[in-house]
Structure formats: C-alpha cells, structure tokens
Amino acid sequence: MTEESLDAFRSVSRKPGLQIWTINNMKMAPVSPRGYGNFFEGDCYIVLYNRGSRQSIDIHYWIGNTSSQDEQGAAAIYVTQLDEYLGGSPLQHREVQGYESPRFRGYFKNGLIYKKGGVASGFHHVDTNVYNILRLLHVKGRKHVTATEVEVSWNSFNNGDIFLLDIGKAIVQWNGPQSNRREKLKAVLLAQDIRDRERGGRAQIGVVEGGDEKDSPELMKIMTAVLGQRNGPVREATPDDRSDQAQNNNVRLYHVFEHSGNLVVQEVATEPLTQDLLRSSDCYIADQRGSSVMVWKGKQASKEERREALNRALGYIKAKNYPSSTSVKVMSEGGESAMFKHLFKSWRDKGQTQGLGTTYNVGKIAKVDQTKFDVMQLHARPELAAQHRMVDDASGDVTVWRIENLELAEVNRRTYGQFYGGDCYLVLYTYQRSGQQQYILYMWQGRHATTDEITACAYQAVNVDNKYNGAPVQVRVVMGKEPRHFLAIFKGKLIIFEGGTGRASAVNPDKGARLFQVRGNDELSTKATEVQARASSLNTNDVFLLKTDHVSYLWYGKGCSGDERVVGRAMSDVLSKQDKQVVMEGQEPAEFWVALGGKGPYASDKRMQREEPLHSPRLFECSNQTGRFRMTEVDDFTQDDLDEEDVMLLDTWEEIFLWVGNLANQYETKEAWNSAQEYLRTHPARRDPDTPIIFVKEGHEPPTFTGWFNAWDPHKWSVSESDLNMISLTHVLCHQDFSNLNKSPGGSYQAPGGPMTSPPVYRTHGGDLSPRPATPTSPSTLRTQSPVLMNLSPSSRFNLTFTDGGIKSPSAGYSGKFLDPELLINKSPSELPQGVDPSQREAHLSDVDFENLLGSSRADFLRLPKWRQTDLKKKAGLF
C-alpha cells in the first residue's frame, strides 16, 4: 500500500454512518454529505457504510455508465486497499449504474440522482442556494427511487413514470397517469429532499396529475413556458430496463487461482452446497448462473490471493461472458452475508449459540443439555417469541374441526391432540395480547388426505377467517412438520397416526403391533409420531412406545435424556391404558424383537443436536406481475419496509411468513401461497418444501413475526398509512406561491451542481414562467389548484381545514411557513414570532429541521401517542 493511499485512508472515520469518495484524477476525493445520493454518470465512487458493530462495514464501488476504464480500475484498487487497511473484514460490493443492490439503494432513502457529466468536467455534486437551474429528472421506482437527468423536452415524458421539472425556485412534479400512489409519494419525498438540501428549503413544489392536467392550469403554464407546447399525446408507458432478478437455484462453487500466470477456474461442487467445502486456505467463487457472483476469502489464504480476489472475480465475469452489470460481492471467512449463507444447505458460525445460551461445537459428538426458557418472557420480549416460534405460553383456547364430506365437523374435545394421516383439520387458537383477542388458524394436512380434502381445508379456512373479520394468522402445517407452538397447545398429548381417520363412523383396520416415536423435553415440545413397526425405525437418541395386543413396551434409547424419559412415560399413558414394560436399549426381551419382525440395524450414533442451524432472516417483496415469480430483497429491513400495497415474504429458515398489506394487489394476495411454495422449491439450498408457511395480515402480526423487527410499533397502522402519506403529500403542496419566481430565467445559468455558464438556449412560450395563482379561500378553489387532494380519503379530508394561508391539519399543525429553529427553541410564548402557536412550534420547521430535532419524520411523529410527542418536544425545547 502506497503512502499516498495511506494519506487518503486517514480521513476514513471509524464511527457509524456513511462516507463517500469520488475518483478525481485517479485519487480519492471526499464528497460533502450534502451531495450524498447525487452521482455523476461519468465518475466512479467509493461508498463506505459502518453499522457500528463488529464485522459490519460494507465497501461499495459504484461505476457510472460513462466512466473511463482507468477510473474503474482505480476505484477497484482503492477498494481492495481500503479493505486491507480496515483489517480485511469489510464486505465488498461492485455496483453498476442502474443495477445497484438493494443494500446500496437502501442508504439513500429519498433516492439516487444520476447527473450528466463528471467532477473532472468542473461540476460539483451540490451547490446550495443556487437557483439558476434547469433540468428534467426522470423518476422511477417504488421501493428504491432513481432519478436520471434527461433532455428537457416533452419527448422525454411517458405515461407510466414521474418527472420532476426543476427550474431552481420551483419544482413541478408531473405524475404519469399509470403511475401509482407509492411512486408518487416517493417522488414527492425526492422533491422535498432537493428543496431542503440544495435550495435551503426555499424552493416551491407543485404537483400535476398527468391524467388531469386541466385541474392544474397555473402549473401547466409553467411547464409549457419551459418545454413548449406539446404536440400530440405523451408516449405510452415503457417497461423497466430490467426486471428484479428471479431466484436462481442453479449454484456452482469454484476454486479460483492463478497457475503460471493464467487464471484457473476449477469447479468444486453444485447445489446444494455444504459449508465443509470451503477451506480456510483458499478463495472460492459462488456463481448463481450469472445473476450474482460472490467471492469467499479464507482466513489462511495467502495475502496475495486475498488481495487479488476482486480482480479475479472481474476476470471470471469476462471469461464467462457475463454482462458487465453482474453483481459482485467479496467477503472474508467469518464475515459472510446472509445471502451467501442461504446458498448452503446448512451453515454454522463459529461459537454460534441457539436458544438461550446453548452452545454447539461442530464436529464433536456429545450430548448437550438444552437450556429451558421462561415462557413468561415472550410478551415482554418479542425477539424471544420469534426465536422460539412461540406467541405465548399456549394457555389460550383451542377449537378443532375435521374436514368431513368437505365440510367442517367439530372434533370431540376428549380426542384433541389426535391427528390421523388420512384427514385434514382446522385448529383455531385464541389468546389475549394487550387486552385484545388474537387468533391463529392452523391448517393441518394429513399425508394421506385426498386432494379434495386439502382443497376443502383451504376453502373452509377462508370461511373461518371471514367469520373473524380477517384477524386470524393462517398457518399451513404439513404432517410431520408441526411448528413448536402447535405442539405446545396440546400440552404434551399430540399424537400423529400414520394413516386412518378420526371420524366416528369410520373403522380403522387393525394393524397389529404399532410403534410410536416420542420426542420432546417438556409438555410444550412433545409429540408422538407413528412409524413403521420395524427395528430400523428405532433411534438411540429417542423414546419409543411399542404397542401390541397384549403388552406395551416403553423403550429408552441410550442417548435420550431424563426429561425425554419423563415426557415419554406421560405420553405412553395417553397412547395405551395397558401396563408398560420399560425396556432399556441393549436389554430387550426376545418378544420385543418378534413384535418388530425381527432384530435389525437402526440409527445408533448419539447425536450432538438436531436443531437447524440459525440463519439470518431475509425479507423480500414478492411479485407475479410478469407471469413469473420474482422477488426483490429488502436489505437491513425495518417495519417501515412493510408497505400497505405489497405482499412481503419473511424467511426465517424454519418458517416462511407471508405478510399481506391492506392495499395489496388482489391477484398477488391470491397467489401468495403459490409464491411461497415456489420460493422454497427454487431455493438454492434445496429447502424442505414442507416448511411451515404462515399467512399474516397487516395489523394482525403475532410476536413470532414482529420479533424479527427491531422496535416494532404496534400502532403504526392504527391510522391509515395512506392517509398519513397523503397528509404529508398535501403538506408539500400547501401555500405554494409561485409569484416570487422570476418572469424569465435571465442572467447566467448553472448546470446541476456545475459552474456558471451563459444562459441555456431554450425558448419561453408566453414570456411568464410563473403566473400568480388565485389565493385559495375555499375548499373548492384549493382542490382545483392541488388536484392530488381529490385522492384523500374522506376521513383525511375531514381532518384538514382550509385557511387563507393554505391547508392546515389540526393533528399536524402545518402552517406552510418555515422558520429558523433558533426562533422556536426554548422560547417563551411571548418571544415567539407572530402567528406561531406555542403548542405547535414543530409545524413551522422544515422537514430536515423536524427530523434533526425530533428524530423522526412528520408521518412517524403523528403515529406516536400524545404523551410521547410531548416528551420529544420537551427534549427538543419545542414545548
């Protein structure tokens, strides 16, 4: 590493947060935080994000579409050296303009702006308070927004996207008729961000609905003055350049090394991969058929081999003729991403713990005592509920129905817990949380049930769900894959019969000797499963009950614990009223083997533990819009990523949750089950297709779901998310007074963030760029000028009042006049500027000042209880 590189890296902060550099004259030049999110297409960037915990640094290098090969090479070298400078633990990513990873896009909540040119041309990322601007931004995206500078012309417009016409003192947002609510809101947030960061909060924002341009005559005059009269209709919507990557279950692992100056790629294995294939002394590439290339660096690999890992990945992409936009990630042993781990059938981190402190050592055969957990902690600590898959202590009410003649037949309570492989059942569990009734509806499908019965089970589940107004969480349970809470609600009396039926009128054939395998450590985790009555079914780690016509044998394997023996005896009393003869492994009487058809080999190795290794949870947005199941991963997810219009898939490895927003597309909701099964079927780690799938509706999330999210807010959706978003959107449009705009652009012109030049060559039509609108004095007048208000729900309209200054929401206290925070903080009522309500000081803050002082957006602030709002205002000096 050169002294020059060391000098550049000394500016790297070890504190949590984001840092960005651009490559200028082949050197790293820091970008001002005000310019974050702005990327010149002719440049390359290095983006470092530090989460503040061990092995939590990500280094991205971003490649602009028109950047030079020299700049790209310099960026790659700096990334490798920066990784080495930080100890080799960061995760490295290669990002290409227009194909950025969800993690990269997630750093810029208000979107990415692609600018023409580059720093080498004399442009700057952001110059604040510069108003001689003229540009048109093409905005795309629902989750992650990108805005690309395009030709300032009507020819750039289309009906499916959103466009921001930025003329310095005003930003006009034009919404394509086929754009949706989420896209419109994201575009408004981007416009707000430009206003606050680049114009000091002093630019004005207006919105035009492309399908109703006549409702915004004043704004259309501005657009026409700049763009000219439109000749003909706007172009039809154009499809995105690319669809979200479909899950690729074709994974190959390669050992990549150099031999005699040549790059050698040697295939090691195909899916499903296992962790033991990775040797610490080597470097490997995992290739998902070109959709993603991931490089793994072993800790004991040579320094040269680790340093060259990124370059070898790039050479591999060229050798395979993959697109230049192919995603590349480089990681070190011990710092693997969740996506990488999910490529493997099983993965165990060094020193990994499971449950509440039980440690497992890979490769050692030993019996480890399981640590019991306190079920009383489940409500207080939802993260425990999620980890243990338990919503409560299973003390709620249970109702069980069996599918008989395709209808529901209630099961006799004396037989609760007995499930037959030839049947399907519905189990409704009711419990209390925070004083409210909560429901879980389990759909248990027997292995030998008919297709009609399985279909009827799903149909009847819908009927029960409707009876409770959609409140139940629905869980599909395949025979033999019962989740822990399902076991717990039957208090150690759950019995799974291999075949037959539990119907009262049915006569099950006499099968002679029957063998049941009993597993569990307490009544919350125990079940008995019927297995073939053969010696090969035995397992040295478990308890078995062999039931014959004359006697029942309770068989204890050498590897079972004392707790397992206790629950085994209790279960044997449920299964058989006969006297039990206890048989220790190795001391079986001859009659025991005769009942099993003769003595034979069986699983006799003591296991260490059978639990599935922990995997980090992953959240995906699901879509079938193209006719093929596709998903977009949401990186570093929070509750805010659960959008009302979406169907989301949360994969916790042992369970799959399908979360459906209240405004989700009806077709996607209907297809959600198929999507989850397709996800499991195509998973590169060859996942169990019978993994439990849990259907969760917005507002009815159980703690087993919410526990995977940090700081879950149960009141987030108590007020309609769309109403809150529209109030926020309306706030942008309040009090827009375009009379202060210059009547002509005149004077010098500055390219976006660039140097002063002569005025741009464009024609003004009509001469006046900014006609004065009529002052809104009535609801009808204002709605004409701000047609987006027509989309407000009736309840939202009811809460808005109209004043001479614009719109005011009693709950939000918006006034439309932003003040310097110094005029509001720690001031007595008499010291406040005229017209400021002492109890609503926050209403006069710009969005940036609001978030800085109160720590949340306006919409999030409105969701908080009144006492919490008051507490935050007191701490900020606004009360």
Side-chain angles (χ1 to χ4, degrees):
M1 189 180 303
T2 65
E3 192 65 33
E4 189 176 283
S5 297
L6 286 174
D7 288 340
F9 296 155
R10 289 191 180 105
S11 66
V12 176
S13 173
R14 300 297 180 113
K15 295 180 180 179
L18 190 66
Q19 296 178 79
I20 302 179
W21 298 264
T22 186
I23 303 301
N24 191 355
N25 295 323
M26 304 303 156
K27 296 180 181 179
M28 288 174 58
V31 175
S32 166
R34 283 187 175 273
Y36 287 3
N38 292 268
F39 292 87
F40 283 110
E41 296 181 343
D43 288 336
C44 293
Y45 294 79
I46 295 174
V47 177
L48 182 147
Y49 187 74
N50 187 347
R51 287 178 170 76
S53 58
R54 180 176 173 268
Q55 293 178 339
S56 61
I57 297 177
D58 291 87
I59 304 174
H60 307 252
Y61 80 98
W62 185 90
I63 299 172
N65 283 342
T66 60
S67 60
S68 68
Q69 289 293 326
D70 288 342
E71 287 176 319
Q72 295 177 25
I77 291 172
Y78 276 120
V79 165
T80 301
Q81 293 179 343
L82 182 56
D83 174 76
E84 186 178 342
Y85 177 77
L86 295 173
S89 63
L91 187 63
Q92 301 172 44
H93 312 255
R94 176 176 176 267
E95 310 285 355
V96 177
Q97 179 182 340
Y99 296 86
E100 295 87 351
S101 65
R103 175 168 295 190
F104 184 86
R105 292 172 182 253
Y107 301 148
F108 309 99
K109 298 300 183 184
N110 291 322
L112 299 173
I113 299 178
Y114 302 140
K115 294 186 170 184
K116 300 291 184 184
V119 172
S121 305
F123 294 153
H124 303 285
H125 290 91
V126 169
D127 278 341
T128 55
N129 302 327
V130 174
Y131 299 99
N132 294 317
I133 301 291
L134 176 62
R135 63 177 174 178
L136 182 64
L137 295 174
H138 182 186
V139 183
K140 296 177 74 72
R142 296 175 65 246
K143 281 288 182 189
H144 303 294
V145 173
T146 61
T148 307
E149 288 185 4
V150 294
E151 179 190 359
V152 184
S153 164
W154 283 114
N155 294 331
S156 299
F157 286 68
N158 72 70
N159 283 323
D161 295 323
I162 296 172
F163 295 81
L164 297 181
L165 179 61
D166 183 1
I167 57 175
K169 290 186 178 181
I171 301 171
V172 181
Q173 175 174 326
W174 186 90
N175 296 330
Q178 297 174 28
S179 60
N180 60 40
R181 181 190 65 87
R182 182 70 175 175
E183 292 170 327
K184 295 174 184 178
L185 176 63
K186 284 287 189 178
V188 165
L189 295 177
L190 177 60
Q192 285 180 292
D193 189 52
I194 294 172
R195 177 198 65 194
D196 294 338
R197 286 202 298 168
E198 301 185 24
R199 314 291 152 73
R202 286 181 282 274
Q204 298 162 349
I205 300 173
V207 175
V208 176
E209 291 296 334
D212 298 293
E213 292 177 345
K214 61 182 182 300
D215 292 333
S216 306
E218 310 300 340
L219 294 174
M220 285 303 301
K221 286 180 182 178
I222 296 175
M223 294 189 71
T224 302
V226 176
L227 302 170
Q229 195 66 38
R230 189 169 65 218
N231 297 318
V234 173
R235 288 186 298 116
E236 286 303 308
T238 57
D240 292 342
D241 293 336
R242 67 187 183 100
S243 301
D244 296 323
Q245 290 288 353
Q247 179 168 254
N248 197 326
N249 63 345
N250 188 308
V251 181
R252 295 178 183 272
L253 186 69
Y254 296 93
H255 179 204
V256 182
F257 57 96
E258 281 192 11
H259 181 70
S260 300
N262 297 316
L263 184 68
V264 179
V265 179
Q266 183 177 20
E267 184 173 325
V268 177
T270 59
E271 84 289 338
L273 304 178
T274 55
Q275 190 178 358
D276 57 6
L277 293 169
L278 303 173
R279 295 181 299 186
S280 293
S281 58
D282 291 320
C283 293
Y284 297 86
I285 285 181
D287 179 8
Q288 286 188 274
R289 200 187 287 170
S291 64
S292 175
V293 171
M294 288 179 269
V295 183
W296 184 87
K297 301 182 296 184
K299 286 184 175 179
Q300 298 173 20
S302 68
K303 190 173 183 180
E304 183 66 23
E305 202 166 6
R306 291 170 60 85
R307 184 182 293 131
E308 289 297 313
L310 180 57
N311 285 333
R312 288 177 180 172
L314 299 179
Y316 173 82
I317 288 175
K318 290 182 180 178
K320 286 282 191 176
N321 290 320
Y322 287 157
S324 60
S325 58
T326 300
S327 169
V328 177
K329 295 177 174 60
V330 181
M331 63 206 71
S332 295
E333 181 179 359
E336 298 86 356
S337 66
M339 183 183 296
F340 183 80
K341 294 177 183 178
H342 270 236
L343 299 178
F344 292 77
K345 186 68 175 176
S346 62
W347 188 277
R348 197 178 296 279
D349 292 323
K350 185 177 181 181
Q352 175 176 304
T353 62
Q354 184 155 337
L356 300 183
T358 306
T359 302
Y360 304 83
N361 295 312
V362 179
K364 296 182 179 179
I365 296 179
K367 186 70 177 182
V368 181
D369 290 335
Q370 291 185 334
T371 303
K372 296 181 180 179
F373 70 98
D374 182 4
V375 294
M376 300 307 293
Q377 299 183 61
L378 293 176
H379 286 301
R381 298 178 60 190
E383 68 274 13
L384 284 185
Q387 292 169 11
H388 292 280
R389 278 79 182 176
M390 293 283 288
V391 298
D392 69 345
D393 59 359
S395 61
D397 295 328
V398 181
T399 303
V400 182
W401 297 275
R402 183 171 39 248
I403 301 298
E404 296 185 9
N405 300 320
L406 308 185
E407 299 292 337
L408 287 181
E410 192 160 350
V411 173
N412 190 318
R413 286 188 171 271
R414 289 178 301 181
T415 62
Y416 273 17
Q418 299 178 24
F419 291 81
Y420 290 82
D423 290 328
C424 287
Y425 298 82
L426 287 184
V427 178
L428 180 67
Y429 179 77
T430 307
Y431 65 105
Q432 292 275 337
R433 191 176 81 209
S434 301
Q436 292 186 334
Q437 294 273 71
Q438 306 288 330
Y439 307 93
I440 300 177
L441 184 60
Y442 292 102
M443 295 167 282
W444 191 91
Q445 301 172 0
R447 184 177 294 119
H448 306 293
T450 66
T451 302
D452 287 345
E453 288 173 325
I454 293 174
T455 302
C457 184
Y459 175 78
Q460 295 296 344
V462 172
N463 290 338
V464 174
D465 182 73
N466 291 337
K467 179 180 178 182
Y468 291 91
N469 298 318
V473 172
Q474 298 177 42
V475 185
R476 183 200 68 156
V477 179
V478 176
M479 177 178 170
K481 304 293 181 180
E482 294 77 16
R484 183 168 187 174
H485 187 259
F486 187 84
L487 306 183
I489 62 179
F490 294 105
K491 307 296 189 298
K493 297 180 180 180
L494 178 62
I495 304 170
I496 310 296
F497 294 97
E498 173 59 27
T501 177
R503 303 177 190 185
S505 58
V507 178
N508 293 312
D510 184 10
K511 299 178 64 174
R514 307 184 76 171
L515 183 65
F516 296 86
Q517 183 176 27
V518 183
R519 281 186 174 172
N521 297 280
D522 52 37
E523 67 173 15
L524 297 179
S525 61
T526 299
K527 71 173 177 178
T529 306
E530 185 175 8
V531 295
Q532 285 190 319
R534 296 178 180 176
S536 59
S537 298
L538 296 175
N539 188 312
T540 192
N541 302 292
D542 293 317
V543 176
F544 286 80
L545 178 75
L546 176 60
K547 185 178 178 182
T548 69
D549 293 336
H550 308 293
V551 65
S552 292
Y553 298 96
L554 189 58
W555 185 86
Y556 293 147
K558 291 179 180 179
C560 66
S561 67
D563 285 343
E564 288 172 323
R565 295 182 185 186
V566 170
V567 299
R569 175 167 285 279
M571 180 62 79
S572 70
D573 291 337
V574 177
L575 280 165
S576 174
K577 302 304 180 184
Q578 297 172 324
D579 290 336
K580 283 77 176 182
Q581 181 177 338
V582 175
V583 175
M584 306 301 293
E585 182 180 4
Q587 301 176 19
E588 299 87 354
E591 294 79 9
F592 178 87
W593 296 117
V594 169
L596 291 177
K599 190 173 183 178
Y602 57 88
S604 56
D605 287 336
K606 292 185 179 180
R607 73 190 186 277
M608 192 191 84
Q609 287 288 348
R610 263 196 301 266
E611 284 87 347
E612 285 288 331
L614 290 173
H615 281 78
S616 299
R618 298 173 71 189
L619 183 69
F620 300 88
E621 177 188 1
C622 302
S623 173
N624 284 82
Q625 293 177 356
T626 62
R628 180 181 180 188
F629 176 71
R630 294 185 181 275
M631 59 189 182
T632 306
E633 183 164 10
V634 181
D635 191 76
D636 201 17
F637 61 83
T638 66
Q639 184 182 0
D640 288 335
D641 292 308
L642 302 175
D643 186 79
E644 285 188 304
E645 295 181 342
D646 289 336
V647 175
M648 310 294 291
L649 185 148
L650 177 66
D651 180 6
T652 67
W653 196 263
E654 291 186 28
E655 296 171 329
I656 299 292
F657 289 92
L658 280 172
W659 183 92
V660 179
N662 288 336
L663 302 178
N665 175 281
Q666 187 175 5
Y667 174 76
E668 287 184 355
T669 302
K670 185 178 179 181
E671 292 296 311
W673 290 106
N674 293 335
S675 297
Q677 291 171 325
E678 177 74 359
Y679 171 78
L680 287 170
R681 188 187 66 80
T682 61
H683 198 283
R686 299 274 181 91
R687 298 279 289 281
D688 186 342
D690 292 335
T691 298
I693 299 174
I694 302 172
F695 194 82
V696 178
K697 294 180 181 177
E698 176 190 322
H700 301 284
E701 298 83 2
T704 47
F705 178 83
T706 63
W708 298 108
F709 294 80
N710 185 39
W712 181 270
D713 178 9
H715 304 292
K716 176 178 173 63
W717 294 296
S718 57
V719 178
S720 169
E721 182 81 3
S722 57
D723 281 358
L724 286 170
N725 286 339
M726 291 309 296
I727 290 174
S728 177
L729 182 60
T730 303
H731 170 56
V732 176
L733 304 176
C734 296
H735 331 300
Q736 298 302 317
D737 182 4
F738 294 95
S739 61
N740 293 326
L741 297 179
N742 296 326
K743 291 182 181 293
S744 64
S748 60
Y749 165 69
Q750 186 170 23
M756 300 296 290
T757 68
S758 58
V761 180
Y762 66 93
R763 293 186 302 164
T764 59
H765 299 259
D768 191 351
L769 289 180
S770 52
R772 181 189 301 271
T775 302
T777 57
S778 69
S780 60
T781 303
L782 183 59
R783 279 200 291 271
T784 299
Q785 294 178 345
S786 298
V788 73
L789 285 177
M790 299 302 291
N791 294 327
L792 284 170
S793 68
S795 61
S796 183
R797 290 183 196 162
F798 180 80
N799 289 326
L800 294 172
T801 58
F802 299 88
T803 69
D804 289 341
I807 308 172
K808 182 176 181 181
S809 166
S811 60
Y814 297 140
S815 73
K817 183 180 180 182
F818 297 146
L819 298 176
D820 189 322
E822 296 298 326
L823 299 175
L824 304 170
I825 296 175
N826 296 323
K827 301 292 184 183
S828 65
S830 61
E831 296 175 308
L832 293 172
Q834 185 177 2
V836 174
D837 183 345
S839 65
Q840 296 288 335
R841 305 178 196 212
E842 71 279 6
H844 299 273
L845 295 171
S846 70
D847 289 343
V848 172
D849 290 333
F850 191 101
E851 291 195 23
N852 288 339
L853 289 171
L854 295 169
S856 69
S857 65
R858 293 184 193 272
D860 289 339
F861 184 78
L862 290 175
R863 298 188 189 99
L864 298 174
K866 288 296 183 184
W867 67 266
R868 180 60 176 156
Q869 293 181 18
T870 301
D871 185 53
L872 289 175
K873 290 197 290 186
K874 285 181 178 178
K875 290 180 179 179
L878 295 170
F879 192 80

